[in-house]
Amino acid sequence: MRWGELIRRLVLVPPTLFGVAVIVFVLLRIVPGDPIAMMIPPGASEADIGRLRALYGLDQPILQQFATWLGQVASGDFGRSISVRQNVLELLLARLPATIELALVATIIAVLLGVVAALVGILLRGRRAEWVVDGGIGVLLAIPDFLWALILLLLFGVLIPLLPISGRVDPEIDLNLHSNFFLIESILTGHFDIAFALLHHMILPALALALPFAALVARLLKASLAESEDQDYAQVARARGYSRPSILLHEVFPNALIPTVALGGVQVTLLLGGTVLVERIFSYEGIGNMAIDAVINRDFPLIQGLVLAFAVMFIALNLLVDLVVTMLDPRLRHG
């Protein structure tokens, strides 16, 4: 990616976020349901309802509401949650690290499983055992992440209770950490007992997210490996007496990695979206779980903040994937 292309992508970020903000703001106002009606106690007077609507600015025209909210966001104020009654930005900063760490662990698992499956499948190319690998990949790909979550919860949480099925960490563990990135900070500071406890809770939701992603990585990488193995440079290396595993790892794999990273990187953004249901199933304390509560409670400020947070992550990940692909592909790196 050239500097001009990078600058152009960065310039498009504010208009993109503005478009997302307009869409979510308008949709929330036109969909039936009143958040104030869901939070008031029974028997509240019209005056009480009016005061609450005025407090959250819901008594103003929609254009004025949007202008007020947009001005607040520009100054770093995302408003106050109607249901939780806390600052939206503080809620996001408290929950977002949990989701990022879950997605990171799931991505690492998916990449490891996908690469191993692709290499095994390509080594078995042309044999009957290849159909077994392809069939396994197909099964993993056909089952969505939320269904994997239910399967794993039933299998390892109920039938064979080996792993915890709810929460981010055991309540009795004293974290004593300075940030909400519990896993990353505990590893960097050498608190491996805390890191192990966090991973103990994280493994099931991370696996649920990782299995379909791993199948996609395996399918993409295996197809790229097969295509690259048929190229002239691989045939020349084979004619020079190099073994097939050596050719696959040193010659074929680096070239096959480029399209896999490009397409698999898009799946990472979809994986973030998948955290919503998976976090809910495992009662994991991330922004996905919080998003469902916000929608149920019609919490306008919190929903708007969550959507913008997801939009920023999607844009940042897509830009990062493009940069990685550019670094891997010399044709793009040199224009």
Side-chain angles (χ1 to χ4, degrees):
M1 183 184 297
R2 297 179 178 179
W3 284 108
E5 176 66 15
L6 177 60
I7 293 174
R8 187 184 70 83
R9 294 282 297 275
L10 292 175
V11 168
L12 289 175
V13 171
T16 302
L17 293 178
F18 179 79
V20 171
V22 170
I23 292 172
V24 67
F25 194 92
V26 172
L27 286 178
L28 285 175
R29 267 67 183 179
I30 64 176
V31 172
D34 186 358
I36 301 301
M38 301 185 68
M39 65 180 292
I40 58 174
S45 65
E46 290 295 331
D48 294 331
I49 297 174
R51 279 194 294 269
L52 280 175
R53 292 185 64 83
L55 177 64
Y56 291 100
L58 298 177
D59 59 335
Q60 302 171 355
I62 186 170
L63 288 178
Q64 187 175 346
Q65 290 184 42
F66 180 72
T68 302
W69 175 71
L70 197 62
Q72 292 175 342
V73 171
S75 63
D77 182 9
F78 284 74
R80 187 175 179 83
S81 167
I82 296 176
S83 60
V84 186
R85 302 184 185 181
Q86 295 181 25
N87 184 277
V88 170
L89 185 58
E90 292 178 358
L91 288 171
L92 292 176
L93 293 178
R95 292 288 195 98
L96 184 58
T99 297
I100 292 176
E101 288 185 340
L102 177 62
L104 181 61
V105 172
T107 301
I108 293 173
I109 295 173
V111 170
L112 292 176
L113 291 177
V115 169
V116 170
L119 290 175
V120 171
I122 200 66
L123 286 172
L124 297 174
R125 187 182 183 188
R127 304 180 187 178
R128 290 184 177 179
E130 182 186 8
W131 292 93
V132 177
V133 176
D134 290 342
I137 293 173
V139 170
L140 293 179
L141 196 58
I143 301 177
D145 46 28
F146 71 89
L147 188 53
W148 278 118
L150 294 173
I151 293 172
L152 293 172
L153 186 147
L154 178 63
L155 183 60
F156 295 106
V158 179
L159 297 179
I160 311 175
L162 298 177
L163 295 167
I165 58 175
S166 65
R168 190 179 180 190
V169 68
D170 293 329
E172 63 269 15
I173 294 180
D174 183 16
L175 294 176
N176 193 25
L177 300 173
H178 297 89
S179 73
N180 291 316
F181 287 95
F182 297 158
L183 180 61
I184 295 175
E185 184 180 344
S186 61
I187 292 175
L188 293 178
T189 56
H191 294 88
F192 298 112
D193 54 336
I194 297 178
F196 178 78
L198 290 165
L199 287 172
H200 201 225
H201 278 260
M202 196 180 294
I203 188 66
L204 287 182
L207 265 177
L209 291 168
L211 290 177
F213 187 16
L216 180 65
V217 170
R219 175 167 290 183
L220 292 173
L221 184 56
K222 182 173 177 290
S224 297
L225 287 170
E227 182 180 353
S228 299
E229 191 180 24
D230 295 333
Q231 299 298 317
D232 292 339
Y233 64 87
Q235 303 299 330
V236 170
R238 185 177 293 109
R240 290 179 176 177
Y242 290 98
S243 64
R244 186 166 179 244
S246 177
I247 295 172
L248 287 173
L249 290 176
H250 298 100
E251 301 293 337
V252 175
F253 185 78
N255 292 301
L257 198 59
I258 297 171
T260 305
V261 171
L263 296 175
V266 177
Q267 183 66 21
V268 176
T269 61
L270 300 178
L271 182 144
L272 279 172
T275 59
V276 174
L277 289 178
V278 172
E279 285 183 4
R280 190 67 172 187
I281 291 171
F282 288 102
S283 300
Y284 189 79
E285 299 170 358
I287 63 172
N289 197 357
M290 187 169 63
I292 294 180
D293 288 331
V295 172
I296 292 174
N297 295 315
R298 300 281 294 166
D299 193 334
F300 290 172
L302 186 53
I303 295 173
Q304 290 159 187
L306 285 165
V307 171
L308 283 182
F310 274 112
V312 169
M313 287 191 294
F314 290 163
I315 293 171
L317 280 172
N318 284 324
L319 186 59
L320 179 62
V321 169
D322 289 343
L323 289 173
V324 172
V325 172
T326 301
M327 292 172 60
L328 293 174
D329 194 338
R331 296 170 300 179
L332 298 176
R333 189 167 60 244
H334 300 295

